[in-house]
Amino acid sequence: MEKKKFGVLNDGTEISLYTLKNADGMTARVADLGATLVSLELKDADGVVRDVVLGYDTPQEYVDNTCYFGAVIGRSANRIDKGRFVLGGRMYQLAVNDNENNLHSGPDGYDIRRWEVVQQDGSSITFALDSPDGDQGFPGDFHVEIQYTLTDEDELILHYTGISGADTVANLTNHSYFNLAGHESGPILDQTLMLAADAYTPVIDSQAIPTGEIAPVKGTPMDFTAAKPIGRDIGADFEQLRFGQGYDHNFALRGEAGTKRKMAEAFCEKTGIRMEAFTDCPGVQFYAGNFITEHKGKGGAVYGPRQGFCLESQYYPNSVNQEGFASPLLKAGEKYDTTTSYKFSVK
Ligand code: BGC
């Protein structure tokens, strides 16, 4: 495993970058800051190497920007209404950092912590983090690990495990922004997407807290059951799309949560790169990068709105407060264990 210095944060913390390689020549670079996927390179149909995730050249840029490029989000991904929940008869208040709500666990997220490397070999690496009792406002000391594995079948597997000393909320995800034409190549609107979801969770308003309803996608622009270009309906006259300024919604995945099944498939005609995604989570937030503001990314690239799409596997947003949604509660001493993967092939 190649390890190199990625850079030094303003506070003096040294950040390292690790390279996973497979027999096919595909590489994944992962930083210990945020256990972040910094690059994912493979050859396209013409043999040109494409880096299919957005990112930065220096670790400090990951801290300074609020896009969460490639990072692991925890202890709880997505939104919690008013940043508040009740557990074991006690009310817990988290930071309010997104309108009136908590997003991605607040300003002190796992995405800007330095994780410890606890295992590594040529094709896999495991990062660990100890999140103390009361961290971000959550109860329970939580030890969490994420293992990245790059297989010779061009599948990047993200395996999360954790254990807490008290009942808590555990809902981690990875926030990679994919662009199957290459991270520097502009909007993703012509790339096609299929989501293995017959329903989604509509939101109340532009603050994006779900109403609690699990609504069918059929007959709406939210229908991705058959692959279609991301841009085809993104501008449709549909209230939910106005709230998110495009797609920024949780989709209720088909099949049994707890078992690995397909969640999505994306394809780029120009490069011939296809990505299939699998998870055992109940839902996936499909975010079309609507709020990426124009700024500098890796290797001089200039990123802007809709230049990457996220497929964030997770419990539904605000599920800790929503009885009809599968619960993200993790009991004291029980194992948190979830896997999501992204598998690549070229036409
Ligand atoms: C959210 C978006 C948010 C983005 C970056 C996504 O998970 O759904 O609303 O803009 O993260 O913070």
Side-chain angles (χ1 to χ4, degrees), residues 66-68 78-79 98 103-104 175 177 208 248-249 285-287 291 310 312 314:
T66 52
C67 289
Y68 304 90
N78 216 311
R79 291 172 175 84
D98 187 65
L103 174 65
H104 298 329
H175 210 296
Y177 289 67
D248 188 8
H249 294 81
Q285 182 86 6
F286 164 44
Y287 170 51
F291 306 116
C310 303
E312 306 156 51
Q314 53 176 230

Side-chain angles (χ1 to χ4, degrees), residues 79-80 95-104 206-209:
R79 291 172 175 84
I80 294 180
V96 167
N97 64 327
D98 187 65
N99 300 302
E100 295 165 14
N101 310 308
N102 178 274
L103 174 65
H104 298 329
S206 60
Q207 293 202 22
I209 298 293

Side-chain angles (χ1 to χ4, degrees), residues 215-226:
V217 295
K218 206 175 164 56
T220 78
M222 311 306 279
D223 191 350
F224 280 88
T225 53

Side-chain angles (χ1 to χ4, degrees), residues 10 15 67 101 119 144 153 201 227 301 346:
N10 291 346
I15 301 300
C67 289
N101 310 308
Q119 172 272 328
V144 61
E153 287 72 46
T201 53
V346 174

Side-chain angles (χ1 to χ4, degrees), residues 44-46 180 267-274 345-347:
D44 73 8
D46 298 321
L180 302 183
F267 179 66
C268 173
E269 186 77 48
K270 204 172 100 198
T271 56
I273 296 177
R274 181 178 304 278
S345 56
V346 174
K347 193 176 73 177

